[in-house]
Amino acid sequence: MTLQGFVNLAIQSIGAPRDVARLLMSTRMSREALWTAFALVVVANATVYGLSLVMDPAPAGVPVFLSTAAGYLVVEAITLGGTILALTWLGRLLGGAGRMADVALLMIWMQALNLIVQAVTSVLLPLSPEFAGIVVLAGSAIGFWIMLNFIDEAHGLGSLFKAFFVFLLSLLALGFVLSMILVLAGFTPEGMMGNV
């Protein structure tokens, strides 16, 4: 994909997310290509995050594993992988028929779009924290809209309300599982916050 093609598809994702979802799913990417794309978006997001830390170091209250690019990379990989699994399984449980490969591709594309927002925010933050905050809020709202449409298309639910329900349950399930993983790994709220 060329840079121009990437930009065009990103813009189209805002105005016609269902069309983009169908286009992406029609590519039927191989498992190897999906793993490569997964790794690329995770590394790219972690790199941008690391650069943002150089320009504006993490404050004292930030959890230890988010105070470095390497920590962010691990969290990003686990979260993205968990999101793909949760959306696939819970979507099927609620009557959807989505393939994990399709859900994975759409979530990977969501992370690519998030990369744009993250990069813009990193540039704006030192110049105007207020404007950067507005960009984050706008990006989150648009991302939520795209996400619901992607879930609906992937599972063929025929309803954004059902897609929202799948998203909500996936969010709760993912939060619970991640909390359990952190507890089993020996992290405590005090430890995650570092020496505050």
Side-chain angles (χ1 to χ4, degrees):
M1 180 185 292
T2 64
L3 179 59
Q4 185 62 47
F6 176 85
V7 172
N8 290 341
L9 197 59
I11 294 172
Q12 190 179 355
S13 296
I14 300 172
R18 291 179 180 275
D19 292 343
V20 171
R22 286 191 289 268
L23 174 64
L24 290 172
M25 290 189 293
S26 70
T27 61
R28 296 289 179 175
M29 289 180 67
S30 66
R31 182 175 298 181
E32 292 75 17
L34 283 173
W35 275 113
T36 301
F38 181 98
L40 283 174
V41 293
V42 169
V43 171
N45 273 280
T47 300
V48 172
Y49 184 78
L51 292 174
S52 71
L53 288 178
V54 172
M55 294 186 289
D56 185 27
V62 171
V64 173
F65 49 80
L66 292 181
S67 61
T68 65
Y72 183 85
L73 185 146
V74 173
V75 171
E76 175 79 4
I78 293 173
T79 303
L80 180 55
T83 299
I84 292 168
L85 293 174
L87 289 176
T88 301
W89 292 339
L90 289 171
R92 289 176 181 171
L93 187 65
L94 296 174
R99 297 169 60 244
M100 184 173 293
D102 289 337
V103 174
L105 179 56
L106 296 179
M107 292 306 101
I108 289 168
W109 178 246
M110 285 291 300
Q111 286 304 304
L113 297 178
N114 180 63
L115 181 62
I116 299 173
V117 177
Q118 197 175 348
V120 171
T121 304
S122 297
V123 173
L124 290 176
L125 195 58
L127 305 175
S128 175
E130 295 79 11
F131 190 55
I134 293 173
V135 170
V136 170
L137 287 175
S140 298
I142 293 170
F144 182 63
W145 162 252
I146 296 172
M147 172 75 82
L148 292 185
N149 281 277
F150 277 10
I151 293 172
D152 195 16
E153 280 297 319
H155 282 291
L157 297 170
S159 166
L160 287 180
F161 178 75
K162 289 182 180 178
F164 172 73
F165 197 50
V166 171
F167 171 78
L168 184 60
L169 288 179
S170 297
L171 195 64
L172 293 173
L174 186 60
F176 176 76
V177 171
L178 289 177
S179 297
M180 292 301 296
I181 290 174
L182 288 172
V183 170
L184 292 174
F187 284 97
T188 62
E190 294 80 8
M192 287 189 290
M193 300 306 291
N195 297 319
V196 180

